[in-house]
Structure formats: structure tokens, C-alpha cells
């Protein structure tokens, strides 16, 4: 799972006029802080001193997304280095290795037989795409005029596109049609969590796809309630030879979701790596097909963690509630990290199993470790939940076993999130199943 160009953001922590320990975690509030030009370092020092936690650096906006004690907000708003502090508002939406889904839909056999999607245009209606992601290099790509379609602020559309088309280039992941199809991007979602769109916007987007010459429309989206205008629009596109494919929905019941449940749209449910129905997947009389939708690794424009060993980068995920920071130390094998070892100044490699992730991280910390990497005890990667006071990440079994051959080398671990990055992420949903079908159709 090696990939290049891993950038690392480092956090700073200096003393301030009062103790951060005075504030409980449950009294914190997530906010966006806009700092004055050239004052980022000063503001980061202040955030660290008051017991804040870094989430994102928004370099283009000269801003930081952080959680800070509510009692510190007044002081931050009066800080001469800060322009403003505002609530980080919640927004809502529907979420190189060969990920397991690629083999599961038999894409390699189709590609080897020459049915690789060459000459087919797939239109993705979603949140845009990080068009300069390393795994899209060389892919023919267009988008709706007048849109910022080449930018993806929430990552959903980039993840979908990677499953369809990520190039076979020794970086990151590979798609169902690896670098062969051409893509046309129409953006209907925006914001850090995608937000929402409307049925009128969706059918307008579908018309744009047809006008651009797309044979397939991929829609990892949907909602309750049908629309006559929308239904008629997709029926018209179907009669013109355009295949529209949409997510069945993630409510885990038999209710209908649209546009997937129109007769003219192919509805896609989700299964896991064992071909069992995902517990979140909707199921009803309009579902035509199911595809991999659980723990799908694909391209992403954000990165919440990074690991570099001897110059090689690895795809990892930050352990939920891990401290936001970075560390480096010689790599050591901690086994399953069931107890503290003699690991002063080291980066500890722990295998998953037997005890909680947080307990492994605590044992590593108690043994003097500066960072911890927890690798899977089964094929593939995973995400983990648990608090850690040292940078803690999760990694695939394959990469963890590879690192066992690099013991003694310096391992750099970062859990500071990066925006606009060549990232990769594991996501669940019928949204992840849909692009598998779209790629197969191509």
C-alpha cells in the first residue's frame, strides 16, 4: 500500500498562563479559528496551551478547525492574533492495493479479456473530485462548465471515482476500470460534509451527463419521496441508451429510495467481503444488484494520519481520539502489546487482537513509546476507536507484516489531519457499492 508524496503537518505545544488540565474533554466545543496572516504558529501554541485538539489545518483560508474548552472561547476571541472564532457547523449527507471489491466483481478478468472500459464515458454526479490526486494521473476527465468540479471538499465524490477508475500506477489503489474510462464530473454537493441537493438539481445534472456523451451515470446518493419530473427525466435518458445507476440507501430497511427505485434506474444494494448483505443496506423490490460496500478503500482528498518508514509511505488511519501530533522513533515489534515493554523513544508495532486498541496504546505509552502502529490480524485495513495520548494509527495486515521486516528503522507517525492531500480512506455504504457496478457496466 505504499504511496508517494506524504506531507506531514507538525503541531506545536508551549506553555501558557493557565493549566490546560483544568478543562474536561466533555466541556470542549469544535470551532473554526481564523488567524491573522503570519500568526498561525502563535495561535497553535495558544490552542495547545489551553488543552485544545487540532482537527484540520485550512491553509487556503488561514484557519484551523479545533476543539477547545468552552471556558477558553472568550479569551481566544480577544486574542490579538485571531480574526474570529466561529462554531464548526455540522453538515449532513447520504458516506497500491487492489481493494477486495475489485476482485469480488471480477474486474481483473474483464480487464484481461480486453473489456476494460476503454472508450466509455462515465458521469459521476456527486461532490466533485480531487482532479489532481495521484491516482487519477492520465485519466481523461471533464466537468460541467462553470463549476468547481475539480475540487472536492467532503471527499465523497473522490472516493466514488477511485473505485471506478483509479489508475494501475503502483500508487494507492486500483479501480474497476483502472485508468481506462473517461470521466465527466457534475457537482451537486458541497461543504465539509456534502450537505444536500434537490431532485430538480439531480435531473439537471443527469441531463448534463447525457449532453457530455456519457453512457453511464453513477449516483451514490438518494432520498425518500419520488418526483414525477425526476422519474420522467430518467425514463427519457434510459430510452436514449443511457444507463443510470444509483445507491439503494443506507437505512437498513425495505423502504424505497430515489432515484434508485425508479424503473429506469439500476438500484444497488451493498454486501460485505463474504457476500453477506450489509446490515445498513436497504432491500426492496426495486434492487437489481448488490456489490461490495463495507470497508471499501479508495481515493480521498483528505488524510487524517501518515506513516513513513525508510522513505516509504503507508496508508493508515488515525485511531479515534488519538492525540493530534507526530513522533518518530526506531520501529520495534511489540507483538500484541498486551503489556508494557522496554520501548523508550521507540515506535511500537502492535498486532490487533485480545485487548482494546486504547489498551494497546496505553501499554505502548507506559513502555516509553512515542508512537504506536496497530496492524490488522486479518487481510485488509480497518478503523479503530479508542483514546491515546501518543500518536496512534491503524494499518492493514499486509503492511504490518511488511514492516516486521523493517524493525530498527526510523518510523515517523503523524495523526495531524491534512487537507488537499493524496489521501485514501475506508468508507461504508451503498454509495461505495454503486461505483463498483458503474465500473463493471463500463
Amino acid at each position: 500500500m505504499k504511496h508517494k508524496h506524504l506531507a506531514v503537518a507538525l503541531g506545536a505545544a508551549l506553555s501558557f498562563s493557565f493549566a490546560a488540565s483544568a478543562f474536561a474533554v466533555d466541556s470542549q466545543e469544535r470551532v473554526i479559528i481564523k488567524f491573522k496572516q503570519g500568526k498561525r504558529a502563535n495561535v497553535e501554541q495558544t490552542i495547545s496551551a489551553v488543552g485544545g485538539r487540532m482537527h484540520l489545518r485550512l491553509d487556503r483560508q488561514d484557519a484551523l478547525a479545533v476543539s477547545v474548552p468552552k471556558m477558553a472561547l472568550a479569551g481566544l476571541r480577544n486574542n490579538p492574533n485571531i480574526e474570529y472564532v466561529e462554531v464548526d457547523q455540522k453538515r449532513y449527507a447520504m458516506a497500491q492495493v487492489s481493494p477486495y471489491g475489485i476482485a469480488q466483481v471480477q474486474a481483473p478478468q474483464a480487464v484481461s479479456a480486453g473489456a476494460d472500459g476503454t472508450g466509455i464515458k462515465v458521469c459521476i454526479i456527486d461532490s466533485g473530485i480531487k482532479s489532481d490526486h495521484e491516482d487519477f494521473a492520465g485519466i481523461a476527465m471533464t466537468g460541467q462548465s462553470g463549476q468547481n468540479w475539480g475540487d472536492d471538499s467532503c471527499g465523497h465524490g473522490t472516493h466514488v471515482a477511485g473505485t471506478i477508475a483509479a489508475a494501475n500506477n503502483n500508487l494507492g489503489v486500483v479501480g474497476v476500470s483502472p485508468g481506462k474510462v473517461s470521466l465527466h464530473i457534475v457537482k451537486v454537493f458541497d461543504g465539509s460534509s456534502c450537505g444536500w441537493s434537490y431532485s430538480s438539481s439531480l435531473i439537471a445534472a443527469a441531463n448534463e451527463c447525457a449532453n457530455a456523451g456519457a453512457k453511464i451515470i453513477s449516483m451514490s446518493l438518494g432520498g425518500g419521496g419520488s418526483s414525477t419530473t425526476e422519474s420522467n427525466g430518467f425514463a427519457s435518458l434510459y430510452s436514449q441508451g443511457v444507463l443510470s445507476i444509483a445507491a439503494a440507501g443506507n437505512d437498513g430497511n425495505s423502504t424505497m429510495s430515489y432515484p434508485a427505485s425508479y424503473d429506469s434506474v439500476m438500484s444497488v444494494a451493498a454486501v460485505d467481503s463474504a457476500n453477506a448483505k450489509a446490515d445498513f443496506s436497504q432491500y426492496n423490490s426495486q434492487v437489481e444488484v448488490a456489490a461490495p460496500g463495507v470497508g471499501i478503500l479508495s481515493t480521498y482528498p483528505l488524510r487524517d494520519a501518515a506513516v513513513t518508514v525508510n522513505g516509504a509511505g503507508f496508508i493508515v488511519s488515525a485511531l479515534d481520539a488519538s492525540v493530534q501530533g507526530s513522533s518518530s522513533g526506531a520501529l520495534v515489534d511489540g507483538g500484541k502489546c498486551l503489556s508494557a515493554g522496554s520501548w523508550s523513544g521507540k515506535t511500537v508495532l502492535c498486532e490487533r487482537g485480545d485487548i482494546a486498541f486504547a489498551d494497546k496504546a496505553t501499554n505502548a505509552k507506559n513502555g516509553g513509546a512515542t508512537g504506536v502502529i496497530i496492524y490488522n490480524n486479518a487481510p485488509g485495513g480497518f478503523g479503530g476507536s479508542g483514546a491515546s495520548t501518543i500518536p496512534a494509527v491503524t494499518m492493514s495486515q499486509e503492511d504490518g507484516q511488511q514492516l516486521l521486516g523493517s524493525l530498527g528503522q526510523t518510523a515517523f507517525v503523524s495523526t495531524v489531519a491534512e487537507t488537499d492531500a493524496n489521501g485514501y480512506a475506508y468508507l461504508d455504504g451503498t454509495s461505495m457499492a454503486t461505483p463498483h457496478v458503474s465500473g463493471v457496466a463500463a
Side-chain angles (χ1 to χ4, degrees), residues 121-339:
K121 181 178 288 187
V122 177
C123 187
I124 302 173
I125 302 176
D126 212 292
S127 60
I129 187 172
K130 178 175 167 55
S131 57
D132 62 350
H133 193 288
E134 62 186 5
D135 240 341
F136 296 140
I139 296 176
M141 191 182 302
T142 56
Q144 185 173 8
S145 176
Q147 287 189 329
N148 59 336
W149 59 267
D151 178 70
D152 182 3
S153 58
C154 77
H156 194 267
T158 299
H159 197 277
V160 165
T163 296
I164 295 173
N168 186 9
N169 57 4
N170 296 318
L171 298 172
V173 297
V174 62
V176 174
S177 173
K180 302 297 184 179
V181 297
S182 62
L183 300 177
H184 188 73
I185 309 299
V186 183
K187 188 170 185 173
V188 295
F189 297 128
D190 208 348
S192 61
S193 297
C194 289
W196 63 84
S197 191
Y198 296 92
S199 57
S200 57
S201 300
L202 181 56
I203 197 58
N207 291 336
E208 159 69 19
C209 292
N211 293 338
K215 295 293 185 182
I216 296 160
I217 300 175
S218 187
M219 298 173 286
S220 291
L221 49 82
S226 63
S227 160
T228 299
T229 303
E230 190 180 53
S231 177
N232 291 340
F234 281 109
S236 175
L237 291 172
Y238 183 75
S239 69
Q240 298 169 39
V242 176
L243 176 60
S244 300
I245 303 170
N250 299 329
D251 289 339
N253 55 37
S254 60
T255 59
M256 300 291 185
S257 182
Y258 300 91
S261 294
Y262 297 131
D263 290 342
S264 56
V265 178
M266 178 173 281
S267 177
V268 183
V271 294
D272 63 17
S273 60
N275 279 330
K277 184 184 76 67
D279 58 5
F280 56 76
S281 180
Q282 281 169 241
Y283 51 91
N284 53 57
S285 59
Q286 285 289 348
V287 170
E288 277 95 356
V289 67
V294 179
I296 302 302
L297 179 64
S298 188
T299 47
Y300 211 61
L302 311 172
R303 183 163 49 226
D304 70 349
V307 165
T308 305
V309 180
N310 196 28
F314 294 84
I315 298 173
V316 295
S317 297
L319 191 68
D320 286 356
S322 169
V323 65
Q324 302 281 302
S326 58
S327 67
S328 63
L331 188 66
V332 296
D333 181 11
K336 291 188 175 180
C337 297
L338 302 181
S339 60

Side-chain angles (χ1 to χ4, degrees), residues 32-53:
I32 296 174
I33 296 178
K34 173 71 165 64
F35 53 83
K36 293 182 179 178
Q37 190 170 10
K39 298 298 182 181
R40 187 181 79 174
N42 303 75
V43 173
E44 288 188 354
Q45 291 167 9
T46 301
I47 292 167
S48 177
V50 302
R53 186 159 69 98

